[in-house]
Amino acid sequence: MNNILVPIGTSPNASQTLQYAVDFASEFGAMIYVMDVFSVTTAVGSLANVEEKVAKSSKEQLKGVIDQVDTKGVEIKIATYNGDIIDGLKSINKELGIDLIIIAPRSNDIKEELYLGNTSGRIIKQTEIPTLIVPKGTTFKPVKKILTAFGSGILKRSSILNPLIIIKNKFRSEISLLLVKRPGYTEDDLKVNTALMDLSSQLTITENGTTYLGVTEYFQKEQPDMLCVFRRKRGFFKKLWEKNTIQKSEFFVKIPVLVLSVKKD
């Protein structure tokens, strides 16, 4: 794990998310890129340096956030992008190769009933980069127990699991697998990918209306440090395909959530 990207929005808690990212990156010797996105459209005849001025102001804001954290020797670089955040993420990923995005569940605190706000929801929904969602106020600690929950054991590429494997190897984490049989499941869904099975000797199969409800039922017993789920249209965050936000009533945990992307589902 070499390059970690931390999108910085307008949240007053941005420095907390960045501090967690720094603490996490220091364990892997990774570099951090903090990114801010702005939108400036220059009309014909307007000042040519408007975009330059906004970019400069954006960089100053990012430097202010960086100044609030203990960098612990981790190299932090600044990236700004004029345009849509998803385009910006794809652009920097193409240029640098991002191994992990670390975000807070919401980009602001306006709607407390939301787990994923519009910006964070779009990042999960519209990018293929593995993402770690870190709740507000979370202090980094070594990840000792990971609950990996899924409604289908089918994985088209075993490499999807790489971030989970890297974290497991680094912290010698114990991984438990939870397969939730949901309405409409197929026999193929119950065939768990061998690479996934290799990560754990503990597989629990439960039956519930959604993967999340299955996790809720199992969560207290397991008490994991991290939850790992897969980004699928009919999976854990299926509500994202109806809208760009997730209500706390639809999903909420107080621990970091690692979202691994499945390109085609």
Side-chain angles (χ1 to χ4, degrees):
M1 192 169 295
N2 299 314
N3 296 326
I4 295 174
L5 180 67
V6 185
I8 300 293
T10 57
S11 169
N13 305 299
S15 61
Q16 294 180 10
T17 305
L18 181 56
Q19 185 65 66
Y20 183 98
V22 165
D23 295 345
F24 185 90
S26 68
E27 296 284 338
F28 298 91
M31 180 182 294
I32 285 182
Y33 291 87
V34 290
M35 181 181 186
D36 190 28
V37 172
F38 57 90
S39 184
V40 173
T41 305
T42 356
V44 177
S46 64
L47 292 174
N49 62 350
V50 168
E51 181 179 337
E52 184 182 332
K53 286 182 176 179
V54 175
K56 183 178 178 181
S57 173
S58 180
K59 285 180 181 178
E60 290 303 317
Q61 177 195 338
L62 292 179
K63 286 177 182 176
V65 175
I66 293 169
D67 286 343
Q68 295 177 53
V69 307
D70 176 3
T71 61
K72 297 185 174 180
V74 172
E75 187 174 359
I76 301 177
K77 292 192 174 181
I78 290 175
T80 58
Y81 185 82
N82 182 12
D84 181 74
I85 186 167
I86 303 303
D87 293 335
L89 290 173
K90 290 178 178 178
S91 174
I92 195 170
N93 184 42
K94 185 176 179 180
E95 180 184 348
L96 301 170
I98 299 301
D99 299 301
L100 185 70
I101 297 174
I102 294 182
I103 59 171
R106 301 183 309 278
S107 57
N108 57 57
D109 298 319
I110 295 172
K111 294 189 175 179
E112 284 296 337
E113 72 271 15
L114 291 181
Y115 173 71
L116 288 183
N118 186 66
T119 301
S120 49
R122 288 185 65 221
I123 290 171
I124 297 293
K125 176 181 175 180
Q126 297 179 29
T127 73
E128 301 297 338
I129 307 167
T131 302
L132 185 61
I133 306 170
V134 180
K136 179 175 66 176
T138 302
T139 302
F140 173 80
K141 65 177 182 178
V143 183
K144 294 302 182 184
K145 295 185 74 174
I146 304 173
L147 173 61
T148 302
F150 47 94
S152 171
I154 300 170
L155 293 179
K156 293 183 173 66
R157 295 174 294 112
S158 297
S159 59
I160 290 165
L161 298 170
N162 285 350
L164 179 59
I165 293 170
I166 290 169
I167 291 171
K168 176 184 185 290
N169 291 342
K170 180 64 185 179
F171 300 112
R172 297 181 181 178
S173 312
E174 174 192 331
I175 294 180
S176 55
L177 306 178
L178 179 65
L179 171 55
V180 183
K181 289 161 54 174
R182 305 160 302 186
Y185 76 88
T186 67
E187 288 302 314
D188 281 343
D189 287 333
L190 304 183
K191 297 174 183 175
V192 182
N193 181 280
T194 53
L196 190 53
M197 285 299 298
D198 286 344
L199 290 175
S200 174
S201 58
Q202 184 183 348
L203 171 64
T204 300
I205 300 176
T206 184
E207 195 160 351
N208 223 307
T210 66
T211 311
Y212 174 50
L213 288 174
V215 167
T216 303
E217 190 178 87
Y218 195 69
F219 200 83
Q220 288 304 317
K221 173 189 172 186
E222 190 64 23
Q223 293 191 334
D225 302 312
M226 180 179 287
L227 175 65
C228 177
V229 300
F230 298 96
R231 170 197 172 276
R232 284 183 165 124
K233 284 189 178 180
R234 63 185 190 91
F236 219 87
F237 292 123
K238 65 180 182 179
K239 290 286 185 180
L240 280 179
W241 273 262
E242 300 168 12
K243 52 190 177 180
N244 286 328
T245 59
I246 290 288
Q247 300 280 334
K248 282 184 177 177
S249 58
E250 296 162 354
F251 177 87
F252 178 72
V253 290
K254 293 182 177 180
I255 60 171
V257 178
L258 177 64
V259 184
L260 301 181
S261 294
V262 182
K263 277 197 172 183
K264 294 180 181 178
D265 190 20

